[in-house]
Amino acid sequence: MAKKALILCSSPHKNGNTNTVAQWVSEGIKAAGGQAESIDITSLRYKTSGCIACMGCKQSDKFVCVVNDEAQPILKRIPKADILIFATPLYFFGPTAQMKIFSDRMYSLFKFDKKKGAIIHHLYHMKFAVISTAGSNEFGALTKLFDVLAGFIGVKVETLLIPFVNHPEMLKKSAVMKEKAIMFGRRLVRGRK
């Protein structure tokens, strides 16, 4: 069965650098026999301003956010994916606000067994990846955030970080960057080679 990748795109610029790279990664995934779906999370309508720590998800036996809005069906689909890719430009040393709001809602995908000191979730099978572009090379805080999330789950995060790109047309003309992104997508499906 083909591996399924879910790409969460959080760039407010539809034709910007990060979305261009995400599209190239998607091409690589498909070329390797996988399936890729990109979801623009920048235009989701939320009932709250992100996770409000209502703890409704912890009181439910389901692994889903109890807030019924446009994020909820996407959150439900995450455990069914084989590869989860966070695509975000670097904004002031971190992900976009849109990515942070959505990733905070992923808290609903976890349960905590206090007696056993265990974290319970359905994401063990998953590969995690981050795609980011920036006008600088200051990715440290951004990658740390996703490293912590991946470590919480018990997986490693793969990264494709492209620094010093300021204009989308400059990136789109780069055959080297396109090939690098396509190969990254292939590796997510096939593994390291």
Side-chain angles (χ1 to χ4, degrees):
M1 178 176 270
K3 289 190 178 178
K4 295 179 184 175
L6 201 56
I7 306 171
L8 303 175
C9 298
S10 70
S11 175
H13 302 285
K14 304 298 177 228
N15 296 312
N17 294 324
T18 302
N19 285 347
T20 297
V21 175
Q23 178 57 43
W24 292 339
V25 170
S26 178
E27 289 174 27
I29 290 167
K30 292 172 186 174
Q35 298 173 3
E37 178 184 2
S38 295
I39 298 174
D40 179 4
I41 63 171
T42 64
S43 59
L44 294 178
R45 289 181 290 199
Y46 294 96
K47 281 192 177 175
T48 63
S49 57
C51 178
I52 56 169
C54 70
M55 298 303 166
C57 61
K58 304 303 169 243
Q59 294 160 12
S60 167
D61 61 344
K62 297 176 182 165
F63 289 77
V64 68
C65 183
V66 298
V67 178
N68 187 10
D69 60 15
E70 290 183 357
Q72 190 187 59
I74 299 167
L75 291 163
K76 285 181 181 178
R77 292 175 55 206
I78 288 174
K80 297 173 186 157
D82 300 299
I83 305 164
L84 182 61
I85 302 170
F86 301 92
T88 180
L90 182 70
Y91 274 24
F92 203 57
F93 308 108
T96 62
Q98 294 88 344
M99 179 61 77
K100 184 67 172 111
I101 288 170
F102 186 86
S103 65
D104 282 351
R105 292 280 296 274
M106 288 178 62
Y107 181 66
S108 63
L109 302 176
F110 301 89
K111 304 283 186 206
F112 303 95
D113 185 332
K114 291 181 183 177
K115 291 179 185 173
K116 294 181 181 177
I119 301 168
I120 304 159
H121 59 83
H122 301 292
L123 308 176
Y124 296 103
H125 67 284
M126 213 177 248
K127 281 189 180 180
F128 268 46
V130 173
I131 298 167
S132 188
T133 61
S136 72
N137 66 346
E138 298 295 331
F139 292 105
L142 180 131
T143 57
K144 180 68 174 171
L145 171 73
F146 292 106
D147 284 342
V148 170
L149 176 60
F152 189 67
I153 293 165
V155 299
K156 291 190 175 198
V157 65
E158 304 278 338
T159 58
L160 177 59
L161 308 174
I162 302 176
F164 305 117
V165 288
N166 294 312
H167 196 276
E169 292 309 313
M170 180 179 89
L171 180 69
K172 288 175 185 175
K173 292 176 183 175
S174 175
V176 172
M177 284 295 114
K178 182 175 183 177
E179 183 60 24
K180 185 175 180 178
I182 289 171
M183 292 308 297
F184 182 78
R186 287 179 189 240
R187 277 195 314 273
L188 288 175
V189 173
R190 295 185 180 160
R192 291 252 174 233
K193 285 188 180 179

